């Protein structure tokens, strides 16, 4: 295990150096959209970390006398139907919404990558069986299955997470398997086989690093999808239980006030939109940076 | 692989997948906290059933048999087209689905049209003007489309087009004007995904040598782009379109609620909330089967779209 | 050769020639094309001038990256994403870059056509071949009536009868370019064609507009020699028949010798030399031309060092004074590094070089006085200085020759390899699985210390055979013995056997993990054999030195190295554990001529030093001839001929071999 | 809003009730694609007055001939939509087949009738034999579901033949239902020629439909929109006190809410006025008891008032056995304003150091939990859909009421049943023919219930109908489903 850690540390070091010296970072920064994505994600992450410390109010404390107040100095994003400060709720919600996204994406990633690696590397009937499993998962429209699962289990954030995690892993499995299969047939892996390099080492040194790029990209893009999925389930009524300041639930609750107190719905709406946008932009940027096509272009003989 | 054996292979795997799908669908029942028989019965009776009643019910429904046998019975019925009967009315689930289906299909079709009409020109324009302000703007526009929770977009559209401008109806189903807003809501989300895809796939194609061959013939740029490039760029787009049809159903669930369209989505949500398991199972199974079949068709359409595709070649 | 007073042409100022003076079919004047990159604009074409007269065949040669393709594409106005920043191109008196879209389309539809390098890239995979040729015919007929819906064959908007006519004419054209059964093949899609047929279809598209000028950008590079010969032959006949002018771009001097009337030698975006083919090949004036000619393996004695051009074609970033070739030029003098070299116009062409160098030394010494490629002493690009230096000391030694059969290292006994075509369920059920006999009952031996060359057409089973030796594949029947012991798949071989076999693959880039730095790539086999850190480090530096790389390359990633350097890394890795056999599967075919020569030198030298046995696969007979002791010819998986190199390649007994040998374009053919 | 309406032919109106008029898919309250409420296609024997008293309808009179026998005289000259006249046979058929047989046992307990107990005496007289003395019988059958249809009707197959002022014309499942004027209506042909009932179960959507001018009248606009609607000239807002009330019912058989001190503390924590004045936009009356004051024996004034008094509440909490654990409060997901109200409870209880865990659940899950008694509080609405509101007392608070019976029989507990004296008082009230005696008994029971803090009353419901300002003649009723559309007109 320590060997792996050591090699990972080494790889990170080299990667960092490569990043600093190579043009990839410049490529990333050249597109203002990428920079925007990175900034948004950074901002949201910071909000999630320190949000509760800087929030001006408690997210659950009601103030019926000051309900439905428009944006003002005291309440920059206004107050909701129970007089709660929306800014504070958004800040507390950041941790929750991001947490869900990270957790769900994490489960999907680990599950999907493991299955994909196994299928791609083992091949044969293992591959066949695992890929059918993937097909089965993919056969269900994601939100529909999530809705059914969450619905049967009952409304709660935990169930939403579970339902969303169960439905999204297959794309990772497919991606990883595809990359593994393609990489496995590349000459450098064949060469490694001929050099008596152990299977484990081939998997960790040659296959995983080549899989990591696309997986990171997918995971980044996935963060956005999960946030949207959570919002969708919240709207249907399977989201967080009150008074949890989860963004999707806030947006869903606020829609009744869209005409009378636009900020209740639109603030979480815009925040969700920006977050998803941020992750998508970042994912696109990372893809530009880590694009496997980038390498194939290099590999094309002139 | 020739077409015939590909078809056999593809149908074979689809069959395996469908079997898996049916097992999962059937298994949903066992996700319920508690004893399914008791849950069903208390639903039907609207009160807590007694032990004796539960036993009787089990025997009557064959629920005292081993689970695989129960599944077998259920599957036999399903294969006969009998998805069971709603717990709350005598309505057959198949009938309920068939009643609700046209509205959902109508919405899906209209959304696809909206999506393609938006995505293809935008994506092509964006790719052709890569790196320019036009490109950035359309990319950002597309991204905003994907980033908005679609129920929010739906309500905002209602606010603008139905309430403020008064040009389109708020909700409901039946007339074409009532289809416009839901189709736009669902279509834009999908268009956003497709625009990005058309763009990237066009970008890849735009580098291809055969476009230069086409240009060197003296063809107009319009024909080069919309005939030679787009045709090839559409191949991955169609794949995603197939997957997106599944996503359409995801979206339809929400959109149908927003716009009060009693389609499959609304039927499903109601059934989930009512714990109307036969309906839930029926719709889940139906959508999954529809999805598998769509994807099969999409796969087969490759042969037409991209003659290079050896059917059955692994995409990897 | 008498020297006429040179006319000095300087810089871009006097580049523009008034339109009325243009008489040539194609006149390129001081063309400059730039590409914007991260590091600033790259001057891909940097003041190219030449002309093509009606009916004439002109060749453009030069190393990879010299700007040949960019020049060709700029001629028909396809320089995107580059930008023409200076100069003019006139076709038939029309200034291509100032013409409007319409006029340019008219030119392309009427006057000039182009055939592109890569047959896989030439044809649109989504449309059948007939459609693509018919389209070209239609544009030619009705250049101004191009409606999108018509071309999309949208019902009601497209005239079916019109298209049917064009399709019929397409069949005729296919017949003319030499596609058999054109009526049957017209509905085929490009992927159903072989490479040669695709290139022919590309030619048919180009000929559809009955052009006055045909530009062919490396039309045969991707094809095997037999196909190449057929296609060139066809091209020659067609141009004669139609009195069509041809601009042929190639890096293969043999091809040039074969069919060109005149040659333009391009280097770093500049024209180095022009002149009649015979003169240029026989008496090159420019040092670069001479270097190019000499680094062909066919020029060198067998198993001897091939002269090389050290260094690489520079990327022309920004303003760089002096002759671009100066850093690599053995005849360079200080003045070469500054100012523009002058262009001398002579009656037999032009030469762009400092006067003294060109006419003085080369004329006197007839070229033999210069040792090209001795990088250490004369060139700046000392990538492989060590290797070259050590090599020169041994050049004199006679190549080791072992008596085949006495001491066989590898022996194949009746080895066959059958692949099951992916047949699918139905086939499996019906038992109609198609089998593909990739290697068929091959018996051969490789003696210790010798170099066995393996040749054959594409798909004849060369790589499969190599894989059987290395253990990447297991034979369906027969036995593979290494040093007398039966060996199977790599996974089942002992560590010792694995250590004894090294492999170098065709494509250096794909054989190195792009995510590992060079040092780790080379250390991989050492690691696998349990060497400790310190030993590994020492061995890596040793290896880097012996393949002619410096320590500073060790920490680089593959994408930071050139193709030649990468192949050195791959070789270093292959020899890391002191193998006895090295399997080389097309080790140089992805490389440029000059780089190829350097790698071959390295291989020869290593063989001598380490007493290696080589199994060399190549489709390039010159390469095989240069380095192998014995040659085995494969056809359809079977050995059709085997024997000492001299005998097999000079006096082939099997028609297959004869065809292979015959197809190789050589300078010598044309001079006969 | 006006423009689109002006174009319409007069006499056609579009109405949006709170529930889907084409039925919820639930067999119980919809048949053949139609919910019987709202649409006035079918009618019962008895109707209800605005004061929640039984009122002659298809029956003109009724008498109890003994403790358990009721004789009803039918109205003569009532024609069904198929042109046939309604006679006793139709009444017997409707009760015996449609109501008592088809709908199952549940109805037997509710109506206190068993199959075979309805008899024809002559063409216009029918007798009913109740299973036990049941003075509330006429009021109980004054219910939309207890309708009269001829044997030719096939209600399962959308063959609905009623006696009402409108005939069923067209159903679009889940979307809308159209009815047309019935010229031969026994009460005289109604004004509107055609009514369309549209489905829009979401309050915001309903409001939007009205504001966009797509419909003429909606029930229950979204609370948040009411003040906005009031300011509009083109919209008319009517409010009507309903027979319903909203309260929190407490599981008194589960720790720690089995402690009356805690329950009283919870009552002291809430200010009903504040709730009504803020989140309810002044729609509704602050409540003291569980029953809407339109019910004549609702006790309101006579009940002890729990004014908000947090100090007292905190004292009570510390006296009680409560030691800081979370107590659960369930609310059904489709209850209007339910999420908001329950959060107010949470906040207010927090202020007296009681931790409330809120669970918004869909119907079946909620019922599952309440059936098992696995909850502490439940926020809900109790509403009578017939003038006889007795069953609210019985089913909620009597040990043998539907809420309590199962658990009581299973393990001697129940949910909201104090038992003993309260049971007796409810029985007395239930069986009394004398209004004063009945009232006295029920008031006493309600007082006991409130004393013990079995419920936390929140407010007596008012419901709102918003319509196009030009609309006139809509007749609202405490039971919102009793609204009559016969005089609906448009002033131009
Ligand atoms: N799209 C591009 N972007 C940037 N630089 C380019 C581009 N295309 C060509 N170049 C540069 O122009 C120079 C000439 O390229 P060109 O393709 O003409 O070479 P070539 O002589 O045809 O080589 P080869 O024999 O490999 O085809 C190269 O140095 C290359 O870096
Ligand atoms: N893994 C495989 N599965 C099926 N067929 C294969 C496989 N590998 C090679 N073949 C087939 O075996 C035959 C010999 O292939 P091989 O790669 O050995 O040819 P080659 O002589 O190396 O050709 P080239 O010069 O193009 O590299 C070809 O027809 C090829 O299609
Ligand atoms: Mg080129
Ligand atoms: Mg090969």
């Amino acid at each position: 295990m320590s060997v792996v850690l050591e090699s990972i540390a080494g790889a990170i070091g080299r990667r960092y150096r490569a990043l600093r010296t190579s043009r990839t970072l410049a490529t990333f920064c050249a597109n203002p959209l990428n920079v925007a994505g990175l900034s948004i994600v950074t901002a949201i992450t910071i909000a999630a970390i320190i949000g509760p410390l800087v929030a001006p109010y408690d997210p659950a404390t009601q103030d019926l006398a000051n309900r439905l107040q428009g944006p003002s100095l005291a309440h920059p994003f206004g107050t909701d139907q129970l007089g709660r400060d929306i800014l504070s709720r958004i800040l507390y919600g950041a941790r929750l919404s991001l947490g869900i996204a990270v957790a769900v994406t994490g489960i999907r990633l680990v599950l999907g990558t493991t299955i994909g690696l196994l299928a791609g590397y083992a091949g044969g009937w293992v591959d066949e069986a695992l890929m059918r499993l993937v097909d089965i998962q993919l056969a269900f429209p994601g939100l529909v299955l999530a809705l059914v699962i969450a619905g049967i289990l009952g409304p709660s954030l935990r169930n939403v997470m579970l339902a969303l995690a169960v439905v999204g892993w297959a794309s990772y499995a497919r991606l990883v398997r595809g990359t593994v299969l393609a990489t496995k047939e590349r000459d450098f892996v064949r060469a490694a086989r001929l050099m008596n390099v152990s299977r484990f080492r081939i998997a960790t040194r040659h296959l995983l690093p080549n899989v990591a790029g696309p997986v990171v990209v997918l995971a980044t893009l996935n963060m956005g999808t999960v946030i949207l999925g959570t919002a969708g389930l919240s709207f249907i009524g399977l989201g967080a239980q009150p008074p949890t300041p989860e963004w999707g639930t806030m947006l869903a609750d606020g829609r009744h006030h869209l005409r009378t107190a636009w900020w209740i719905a639109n603030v979480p709406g815009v925040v969700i939109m920006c977050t998803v946008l941020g992750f998508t932009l970042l994912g696109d940027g990372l893809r530009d940076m880590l694009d496997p096509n980038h390498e194939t272009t290099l590999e094309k003989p002139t | 692989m020739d077409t015939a054996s590909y078809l056999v292979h593809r149908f074979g795997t689809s069959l395996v997948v469908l079997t898996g799908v049916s097992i999962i669908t059937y298994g949903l029942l066992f996700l319920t906290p508690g004893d399914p028989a008791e849950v069903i019965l208390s639903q039907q009776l609207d009160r807590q059933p007694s032990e004796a009643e539960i036993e009787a019910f089990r025997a009557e429904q064959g629920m005292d048999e081993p689970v695989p046998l129960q599944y077998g019975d259920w599957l036999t019925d399903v294969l006969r087209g009998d998805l069971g009967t709603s717990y709350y009315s005598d309505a057959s689930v198949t009938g309920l689905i068939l009643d609700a289906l046209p509205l959902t299909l109508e919405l899906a079709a209209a959304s696809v049209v909206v999506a393609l009409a938006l995505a293809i020109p935008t994506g092509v324009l964006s790719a052709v003007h890569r790196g320019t302000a036009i490109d950035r703007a359309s990319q950002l526009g597309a991204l905003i489309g994907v980033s908005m929770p679609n129920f929010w977009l739906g309500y905002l559209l209602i606010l603008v087009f139905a309430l403020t401008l008064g040009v389109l109806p708020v909700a409901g189903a039946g007339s074409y004007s009532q289809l416009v807003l839901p189709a736009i809501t669902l279509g834009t989300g999908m268009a956003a995904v497709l625009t990005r895809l058309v763009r990237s796939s066009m970008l890849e194609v735009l580098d291809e040598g055969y476009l230069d061959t086409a240009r060197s013939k003296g063809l107009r740029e319009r024909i080069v782009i919309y005939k030679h490039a787009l045709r090839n760029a559409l191949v991955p787009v169609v794949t995603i379109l197939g997957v997106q049809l599944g996503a359409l159903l995801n979206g339809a669930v929400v959109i149908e609620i927003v716009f009060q369209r009693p389609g499959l989505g609304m039927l499903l949500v109601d059934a989930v909330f009512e714990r109307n398991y036969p309906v839930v199972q029926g719709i889940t199974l139906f959508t999954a089967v529809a999805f598998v079949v769509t994807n099969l068709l999409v796969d087969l359409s490759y042969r037409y779209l991209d003659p290079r595709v050896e059917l059955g070649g692994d995409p990897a | 050769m008498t020297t006429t007073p040179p006319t000095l042409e300087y810089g871009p100022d006097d580049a523009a020639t008034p339109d009325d003076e243009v008489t040539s079919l194609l006149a390129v004047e001081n063309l400059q094309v730039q590409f914007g990159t991260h590091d600033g604009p790259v001057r891909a074409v940097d003041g190219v001038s030449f002309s093509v007269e009606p009916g004439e065949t002109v060749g453009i040669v030069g190393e990879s990256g010299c700007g040949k393709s960019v020049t060709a594409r700029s001629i028909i106005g396809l320089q995107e994403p580059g930008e023409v920043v200076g100069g003019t191109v006139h076709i038939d008196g029309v200034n291509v870059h100032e013409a409007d879209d319409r006029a340019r389309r008219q030119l392309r539809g009427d006057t000039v056509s182009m055939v592109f390098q890569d047959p896989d890239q030439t044809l649109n995979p989504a449309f059948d071949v007939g459609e693509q040729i018919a389209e070209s015919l239609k544009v030619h007929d009705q250049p101004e009536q191009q409606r999108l819906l018509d071309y999309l064959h949208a019902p009601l908007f497209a005239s079916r009868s019109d298209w049917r006519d064009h399709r019929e004419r397409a069949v005729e054209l296919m017949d003319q370019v030499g596609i058999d059964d054109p009526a049957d093949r017209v509905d085929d899609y490009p992927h159903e064609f072989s490479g040669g047929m695709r290139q022919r279809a590309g030619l048919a598209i180009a000929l559809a507009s009955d052009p006055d000028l045909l530009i062919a950008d490396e039309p045969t590079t991707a094809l095997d020699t037999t196909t190449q010969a057929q296609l060139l032959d066809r091209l020659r006949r067609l141009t004669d028949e139609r009195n069509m002018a041809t601009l042929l771009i190639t890096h293969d001097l043999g091809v040039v010798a074969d069919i060109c009337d005149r040659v333009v030698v391009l280097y770093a975006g500049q024209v180095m030399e022009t002149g009649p083919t015979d003169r240029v090949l026989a008496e090159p004036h420019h040092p670069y031309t001479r270097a190019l000619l000499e680094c062909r393996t066919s020029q060198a004695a067998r198993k001897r060092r091939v002269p090389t051009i050290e260094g690489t074609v520079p990327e022309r970033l920004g303003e760089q004074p002096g002759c671009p070739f100066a850093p690599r030029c053995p005849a360079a003098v200080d003045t070469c590094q500054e100012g523009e070299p002058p262009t001398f116009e002579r009656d037999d062409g032009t030469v762009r070089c400092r006067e003294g160098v060109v006419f003085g030394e080369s004329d006197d010494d007839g070229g033999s006085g210069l040792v090209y490629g001795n990088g250490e002493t004369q060139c700046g690009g000392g990538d492989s200085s060590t290797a070259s230096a050590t090599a020169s000391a041994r050049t004199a030694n006679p190549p080791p020759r072992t008596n085949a059969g006495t001491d066989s290292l590898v022996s194949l006994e009746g080895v066959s390899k059958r692949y099951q075509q992916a047949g699918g369920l139905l086939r499996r059920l019906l038992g109609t699985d198609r089998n593909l006999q990739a290697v068929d009952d091959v018996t051969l031996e490789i003696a210790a210390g010798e170099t066995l060359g393996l040749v054959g057409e594409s798909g004849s089973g060369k790589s499969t055979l190599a894989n059987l030796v290395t253990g990447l594949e297991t034979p369906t029947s027969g036995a593979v013995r290494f040093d007398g012991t039966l060996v199977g798949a790599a996974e089942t071989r002992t560590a010792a056997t694995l250590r004894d076999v090294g492999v170098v693959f065709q494509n250096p880039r794909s054989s190195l993990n792009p995510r590992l730095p060079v040092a780790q790539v080379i250390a991989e086999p050492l690691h696998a054999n349990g060497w400790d850190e310190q030993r590994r480090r020492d061995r890596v530096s040793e290896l880097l030195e012996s393949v002619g790389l410096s320590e500073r390359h060790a920490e680089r990633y593959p994408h930071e190295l050139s193709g030649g350097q990468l192949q050195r890394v791959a070789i270093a890795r292959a020899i890391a554990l002191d193998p006895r056999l090295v399997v080389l599967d097309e080790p140089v075919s992805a490389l440029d001529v000059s780089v190829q020569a350097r790698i071959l030198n390295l291989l020869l030298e290593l063989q001598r030093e380490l007493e290696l046995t080589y199994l060399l696969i190549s489709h390039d007979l010159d390469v095989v001839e240069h380095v192998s002791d014995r040659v085995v010819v494969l056809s359809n998986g079977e050995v059709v001929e085997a024997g000492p190199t001299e005998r097999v390649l000079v006096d082939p007994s099997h028609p297959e071999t004869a065809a292979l040998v015959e197809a190789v374009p050589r300078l010598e053919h044309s001079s006969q | 809003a006006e423009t689109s309406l002006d174009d319409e032919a007069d006499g056609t109106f579009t109405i949006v009730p709170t529930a889907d008029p084409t039925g919820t898919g639930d067999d119980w309250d919809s048949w053949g694609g139609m919910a019987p409420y709202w649409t006035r296609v079918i009618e019962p024997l008895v109707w209800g007055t605005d004061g929640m008293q039984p009122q002659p309808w298809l029956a003109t009179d009724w008498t109890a001939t003994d403790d358990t026998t009721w004789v009803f005289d039918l109205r003569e000259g009532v024609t069904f939509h198929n042109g046939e006249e309604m006679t006793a046979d139709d009444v017997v058929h409707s009760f015996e087949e449609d109501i008592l047989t088809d709908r199952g046992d549940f109805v037997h307990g509710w109506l206190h009738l068993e199959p075979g107990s309805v008899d024809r005496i002559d063409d216009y007289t029918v007798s009913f034999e109740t299973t036990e003395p049941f003075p509330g019988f006429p009021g109980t059958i004054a219910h939309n579901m207890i309708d009269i249809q001829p044997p030719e009707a096939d209600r399962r197959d959308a063959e609905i033949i009623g006696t009402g002022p409108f005939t069923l014309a067209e159903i679009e499942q889940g979307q809308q239902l159209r009815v047309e004027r019935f010229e031969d209506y026994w009460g005289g042909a109604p004004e509107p020629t055609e009514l369309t009932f549209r489905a829009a179960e979401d309050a915001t959507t309903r409001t939007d439909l009205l504001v966009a001018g797509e419909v003429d009248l909606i029930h229950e606009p979204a609370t948040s929109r009411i003040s906005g609607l009031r300011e509009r000239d083109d919209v008319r807002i009517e409010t009507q006190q309903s027979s319903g009330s909203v309260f929190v019912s407490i599981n008194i058989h589960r720790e720690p809410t089995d402690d009356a001190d805690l329950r009283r503390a919870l009552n002291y924590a809430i200010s009903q006025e504040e709730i009504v004045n803020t989140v309810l936009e002044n729609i509704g009356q602050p409540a003291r008891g569980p029953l809407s004051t339109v019910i004549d024996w609702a006790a309101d004034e006579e009940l002890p008032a729990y004014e908000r008094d947090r100090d007292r509440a905190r004292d009570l909490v510390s006296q009680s056995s409560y030691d800081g654990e979370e107590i659960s409060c369930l609310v059904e997901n489709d209850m209007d304003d339910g999420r908001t109200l329950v959060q107010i409870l949470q906040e207010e209880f927090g202020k007296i150091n009681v931790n409330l865990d809120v669970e918004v659940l869909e119907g079946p899950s909620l019922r599952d939990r309440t059936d098992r008694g696995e909850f502490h509080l439940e926020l809900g609405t109790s509403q009578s859909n017939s003038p006889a509101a007795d069953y609210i007392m019985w089913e909620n608070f009597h040990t043998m009421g539907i809420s309590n019976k199962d658990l009581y029989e299973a393990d001697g507990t129940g949910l909201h049943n104090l038992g003993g004296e309260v049971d007796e008082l409810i029985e007395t009230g239930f069986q009394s023919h004398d209004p004063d005696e009945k009232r006295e008994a029920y008031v006493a029971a309600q007082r006991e219930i409130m004393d013990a803090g079995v419920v936390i009353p929140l407010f007596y419901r008012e419901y709102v109908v918003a319509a196009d300002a030009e609309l006139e003649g809509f007749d609202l009723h405490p039971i919102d489903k009793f609204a009559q559309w016969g005089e609906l007109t448009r002033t131009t």
Side-chain angles (χ1 to χ4, degrees), chain C residues 457-464 466-467 506 585-586 617 619:
Chain C
E457 279 191 48
S458 181
S460 56
K462 304 184 295 288
S463 298
T464 308
N467 290 344
Q506 163 168 9
D585 188 353
E586 312 255 14
I617 296 173
H619 64 258

Side-chain angles (χ1 to χ4, degrees), chain D residues 133-406:
Chain D
F134 186 28
F137 182 72
T140 305
I141 63 169
H143 190 286
N144 283 293
M145 303 289 299
I146 312 299
D147 65 304
I148 306 303
Q149 292 187 51
E152 301 84 66
D154 182 354
R155 58 191 186 97
R156 300 231 167 264
D157 204 27
E159 261 299 302
I160 292 166
I161 303 172
T163 55
F166 297 98
T167 59
L168 184 60
E170 188 190 16
I171 298 174
E172 285 176 60
Q173 248 331 299
Q175 297 175 56
Q176 59 184 30
L177 178 148
R178 198 163 54 78
V179 300
E180 284 167 2
R181 167 155 65 190
F182 179 44
E183 303 289 347
D184 295 335
Y185 181 54
W186 58 268
E191 292 280 342
T193 52
E194 192 181 300
L195 297 177
T196 302
F197 294 91
R198 273 190 62 172
E201 294 186 323
D202 180 81
T204 297
T205 308
R206 281 199 296 274
T207 320
D208 288 347
L209 282 170
L210 179 76
V211 170
E214 283 180 56
V215 302
D216 300 295
L217 183 147
I218 63 170
H219 279 77
E220 305 267 34
T223 312
S224 62
R225 302 280 283 279
I226 288 173
S227 57
L229 291 179
R230 279 193 213 279
E231 285 161 20
R232 294 178 70 119
D233 295 336
D234 58 345
V235 172
R236 200 178 134 192
I237 293 264
E238 299 278 326
T239 56
Q240 163 73 47
Q241 184 171 7
S242 133
S243 60
S245 70
V246 173
F247 55 84
V248 178
S249 41
I250 302 180
N251 183 350
I252 61 173
H253 294 286
R254 191 179 177 85
E255 282 191 352
T257 43
D258 57 349
D259 186 328
D261 280 341
L262 177 62
R263 300 199 297 266
R264 285 189 200 105
L266 297 182
N267 263 298
Y268 279 116
I270 300 299
S271 163
Q272 283 82 355
E273 277 78 15
E274 187 180 69
I275 291 176
V276 171
N277 293 341
T278 57
V279 291
L280 295 181
E281 304 281 347
N282 290 312
I283 307 294
Q285 299 294 328
R288 284 179 160 193
L291 287 164
S292 165
T293 46
V294 293
I295 295 162
D296 56 357
W297 41 262
D300 191 56
E301 300 279 289
E302 289 133 272
L303 292 176
Y306 291 95
E307 295 292 331
R308 178 159 70 191
D309 183 343
R310 293 196 182 112
D311 291 331
R312 182 141 176 218
R314 276 188 282 260
D315 289 346
L316 282 168
V317 170
S318 47
Q319 274 172 38
S320 74
S321 57
Y322 179 75
D323 51 11
E325 70 262 42
E326 272 194 341
I327 61 178
S328 60
C329 179
L330 310 183
V331 61
E332 193 168 339
N333 61 345
D334 59 3
M335 174 178 175
D336 285 335
D337 301 318
R339 287 178 77 93
T340 309
L341 290 171
V342 82
Q343 290 184 77
I344 293 183
L345 296 180
Q346 191 176 39
E347 168 91 357
E348 297 298 333
F349 292 167
K351 287 178 182 157
I352 60 162
N353 309 321
V354 173
N355 289 321
L356 196 65
D357 175 39
V358 168
E359 288 180 74
V360 183
L361 297 174
E362 71 280 16
S365 306
L366 185 129
R367 249 160 280 137
D368 189 44
R369 292 280 294 278
T370 51
D371 283 349
R372 293 165 200 274
E374 287 167 5
F375 73 103
H376 296 107
L377 312 184
E378 181 196 354
L379 173 64
T381 302
S382 186
Q383 164 154 357
S384 177
N385 281 338
S386 66
D390 298 59
Y391 72 93
I392 295 182
M393 288 301 285
W394 179 274
E395 307 294 13
N396 281 313
F397 303 113
H398 193 275
T399 302
M400 294 312 282
I402 194 165
S403 308
N404 308 311
K405 185 169 169 242
D406 286 335

Side-chain angles (χ1 to χ4, degrees), chain B residues 166-220:
Chain B
V167 289
L168 287 166
V170 171
S175 72
Y176 286 117
S177 59
Q178 284 169 323
L179 187 57
V180 177
L181 284 184
I184 291 179
T185 314
L186 197 49
T188 38
M190 191 171 163
V193 179
L194 290 181
T195 306
R196 287 153 50 78
L197 198 73
V198 170
R199 177 180 180 273
S200 63
S201 140
M202 271 301 275
L203 279 181
E204 236 156 70
V205 171
L206 284 179
D207 281 343
E208 295 284 350
Y210 51 79
L211 295 193
D212 282 343
T213 309
R215 289 193 186 99
S216 74
K217 291 174 186 175
L219 280 176
R220 301 168 89 117

Side-chain angles (χ1 to χ4, degrees), chain A residues 302, chain C residues 35 44 63-70 81 117 218 315:
Chain A
T302 33
Chain C
F35 286 91
E63 280 175 275
S64 188
C66 278
K68 304 184 296 291
S69 298
V70 176
Q117 172 165 2
E218 315 226 22
E315 284 254 297

